Amino acid sequence: MSRGKICSLEWISRPLRRGVLATKLRHCSRNAIGVQTASDASINGDQEEHDLCNWDELKFSFTPTDYMYVMKCSSGESAFSQGHLTRYGNVELSPSSGVLNYGQGLLEGLKAYRGDDNRIRLFRPEQNALRMQMGAERMCMPSPTAEQFVSSIKQTALANKRWVPPPGKGSLYIRPLLLGTGPILGVAPSPEYTFLAYASPVGNYFNGPMHFSVEDKVYRAIPGGTGGIKSITNYSPIYKAITQAKAKGFTDAIFLDAETGKNIEEATACNIFVVKGNVISTPPIAGTILPGITRKSIIEVASWLGYQIEERAIPLEELINVDEAFCSGTAIAIKPVGSVTYQGQRVEYKTGEGTVSEKLCRTLTGIQTGLIEDTTGWVVEIE
């Protein structure tokens, strides 16, 4: 890399146990609670959120909330039974369960937002349902219907509504899981499955622009693999690479395609966009890149705002010549890229007010929180 601002690298199965998880937290706390049923008054959020958290110091870290949602597909059945809410707590798994032995599991992630009108909104939850179904088909798993999935998310958000941060302070992150929980010794699909969804209030995943190193020895995904779905097995194999990047002062690492080693694909948990003039480009969905819901929404919003959108292979060398770069994902929302470093050379990009990423972020978060009218049907109000 030789153009732009360049400097040397000197910086940078059994039913769920209905016990109570009592955890002492640095910034957030919950009172010890007894075992209750889903009909308790608190499930409708009667308790106030006052003094529940120091919302100003909220980070993207786990805080146990009140309830989780559980649904099962038993042996010999092809569909999930009606689920239910239960107090958040540990789960019991057979040591021979499919998820523990062979990694047969999927995860999703979405957020509930509190608007200035105090209404709570979900953003395109049906898209998460469809993506889980796509992943389940790939992993030989049954999946909840879209209606079951969306209903479970609504119920989880409503039951934990007191944990949805005030406007502008964060969001309630909801993590659905689809797990092979039946016992299996041979290499084969699990005989039983569990779907569950739990929630945690979160703040920003990263503060400020992101600074990347380029990883050219470890690949996040390979053609024919599971990079295009949210398999639980996709993440830990790259822990070493991102740990090394962070030890050198970087926010994260950008991974290249395994086939040629020349094109950028994704970061650890976010899609990548680059901007040149009025053109916004992002790597195509071709089996190795996760079809992000925020990514999909950005493409649509950008086209409304008059930008030209290209989904194409982006050579690593092209990062030298772009005006701007940013990343997207449910956890990080839309974050500008401040710099990319490769083989000791660093290229910096525009960030801050007036950039394309700032404009897109303002528009998308406005829709998600109710500040901008939703004319698309993307937002689901649950209150």
Side-chain angles (χ1 to χ4, degrees), residues 88-147:
Y88 178 84
N90 293 339
V91 298
E92 289 186 356
L93 285 175
S94 165
S96 61
S97 62
V99 66
L100 290 183
N101 287 261
Y102 302 114
Q104 192 185 23
L106 297 166
L107 60 85
E108 275 295 331
L110 60 164
K111 290 177 176 177
Y113 305 87
R114 190 184 297 275
D116 288 339
D117 55 5
N118 207 38
R119 295 175 181 268
I120 297 174
R121 297 169 172 86
L122 302 172
F123 185 69
R124 308 188 78 171
E126 78 289 343
Q127 292 294 316
N128 295 89
L130 295 174
R131 189 168 64 181
M132 177 168 276
Q133 290 177 354
M134 180 179 70
E137 192 279 331
R138 174 67 175 83
M139 300 284 281
C140 294
M141 307 169 76
S143 180
T145 65
E147 291 77 15

Side-chain angles (χ1 to χ4, degrees), residues 121 360-374 379:
R121 297 169 172 86
L360 290 170
C361 185
R362 187 174 64 248
T363 303
L364 191 60
T365 56
I367 295 171
Q368 291 169 334
T369 58
L371 293 175
I372 295 176
E373 182 183 1
D374 172 32
V379 171

Side-chain angles (χ1 to χ4, degrees), residues 21-294:
L21 181 63
T23 305
K24 184 176 181 181
L25 302 167
R26 182 176 181 182
H27 299 306
C28 303
S29 62
R30 60 180 287 189
N31 296 325
I33 48 179
V35 175
Q36 296 177 316
T37 68
S39 61
D40 295 331
S42 63
I43 204 164
N44 293 314
D46 289 347
Q47 293 117 319
E48 295 293 331
E49 66 271 8
H50 304 304
D51 301 323
L52 194 63
C53 272
N54 183 343
W55 301 114
D56 291 326
E57 297 186 22
L58 194 61
K59 296 180 172 59
F60 196 95
S61 58
F62 178 65
T63 300
T65 53
D66 299 324
Y67 290 93
M68 60 185 182
Y69 188 93
V70 183
M71 186 165 35
K72 290 186 176 291
C73 182
S74 300
S75 180
E77 298 180 354
S78 59
F80 277 83
S81 60
Q82 182 176 353
H84 63 278
L85 288 161
T86 187
R87 281 290 186 177
Y88 178 84
N90 293 339
V91 298
E92 289 186 356
L93 285 175
S94 165
S96 61
S97 62
V99 66
L100 290 183
N101 287 261
Y102 302 114
Q104 192 185 23
L106 297 166
L107 60 85
E108 275 295 331
L110 60 164
K111 290 177 176 177
Y113 305 87
R114 190 184 297 275
D116 288 339
D117 55 5
N118 207 38
R119 295 175 181 268
I120 297 174
R121 297 169 172 86
L122 302 172
F123 185 69
R124 308 188 78 171
E126 78 289 343
Q127 292 294 316
N128 295 89
L130 295 174
R131 189 168 64 181
M132 177 168 276
Q133 290 177 354
M134 180 179 70
E137 192 279 331
R138 174 67 175 83
M139 300 284 281
C140 294
M141 307 169 76
S143 180
T145 65
E147 291 77 15
Q148 286 177 314
F149 182 98
V150 173
S151 175
S152 74
I153 302 307
K154 287 181 178 179
Q155 292 183 59
T156 302
L158 185 60
N160 295 297
K161 61 182 283 189
R162 70 192 186 114
W163 294 93
V164 182
K169 301 297 184 180
S171 56
L172 184 71
Y173 188 86
I174 303 172
R175 167 55 56 81
L177 297 170
L178 181 59
L179 308 172
T181 47
I184 189 79
L185 187 59
V187 180
S190 173
E192 297 177 3
Y193 297 88
T194 300
F195 170 92
L196 63 86
Y198 66 90
S200 174
V202 297
N204 290 332
Y205 200 99
F206 298 115
N207 291 313
M210 302 177 71
H211 298 278
F212 286 106
S213 64
V214 175
E215 174 56 57
D216 59 3
K217 295 182 177 62
V218 174
Y219 299 99
R220 180 192 168 273
I222 60 172
T226 58
I229 63 172
K230 284 189 76 72
S231 168
I232 63 172
T233 58
N234 286 351
Y235 298 90
S236 58
I238 59 174
Y239 284 174
K240 184 174 182 180
I242 60 176
T243 299
Q244 291 172 341
K246 290 180 179 181
K248 296 176 181 177
F250 296 104
T251 312
D252 200 351
I254 291 177
F255 294 88
L256 305 177
D257 74 295
E259 195 165 13
T260 71
K262 296 179 179 180
N263 301 314
I264 64 171
E265 287 207 327
E266 282 189 295
T268 300
C270 51
N271 296 116
I272 301 173
F273 293 80
V274 296
V275 181
K276 182 69 174 177
N278 196 54
V279 180
I280 302 175
S281 303
T282 190
I285 301 300
T288 57
I289 293 175
L290 187 72
I293 294 160
T294 308

Side-chain angles (χ1 to χ4, degrees), residues 283-331:
I285 301 300
T288 57
I289 293 175
L290 187 72
I293 294 160
T294 308
R295 174 190 181 276
K296 177 183 176 75
S297 304
I298 286 171
I299 289 172
E300 295 179 59
V301 170
S303 66
W304 303 341
L305 297 177
Y307 293 98
Q308 180 182 336
I309 309 298
E310 295 180 348
E311 295 182 73
R312 60 175 177 81
I314 301 175
L316 177 59
E317 289 77 10
E318 191 172 320
L319 294 183
I320 300 171
N321 300 309
V322 299
D323 303 323
E324 187 183 336
F326 62 91
C327 292
S328 70
T330 298

